[in-house]
Amino acid sequence: FLQDSAQKISWSSTWRLANSRIYGKELSQPLANLKKMKLSRSSWLKKLPDLSNATNLERLDLYECIALVELPSSISNLRKLDSLETNHCRSLKVIPTL
């Protein structure tokens, strides 16, 4: 099911996968058109993919991603990113300089 969902949304400008059982490897779809990524409460998510191709990303919602340990270094290159929600990401240890 998740594989099908990821394929359907890969061309969308918004990903809404809140409360999902996504681990992170499923997020390796083309990201160039992506503007918003909502992964809040994805309690199994430990790591995000390389976001260097998500050049149009404006919002990244990771609220309560309790297993998330680090943000990719590529996040510091996202010039259009104006909203990053990481509240209650209690395992988050590595946050690159933005």
Side-chain angles (χ1 to χ4, degrees), residues 30-95:
L31 303 174
N33 295 326
L34 192 62
K35 290 186 178 184
K36 299 175 187 173
M37 185 184 289
K38 183 174 177 100
L39 298 169
S40 58
R41 296 187 177 104
S42 296
S43 57
W44 296 59
L45 181 66
K46 292 183 179 183
K47 185 177 178 183
L48 290 173
D50 175 19
L51 295 173
S52 58
N53 291 325
T55 54
N56 290 305
L57 191 64
E58 297 169 357
R59 295 177 178 248
L60 179 56
D61 183 353
L62 302 169
Y63 177 80
E64 279 189 11
C65 289
I66 58 174
L68 186 64
V69 176
E70 68 179 291
L71 297 179
S73 60
S74 57
I75 201 167
S76 61
N77 297 324
L78 301 179
R79 302 293 176 228
K80 294 184 179 180
L81 187 67
D82 64 6
S83 176
L84 174 61
E85 175 65 66
T86 57
N87 286 336
H88 303 287
C89 295
R90 60 180 174 233
S91 299
L92 191 57
K93 305 286 188 235
V94 179
I95 303 174

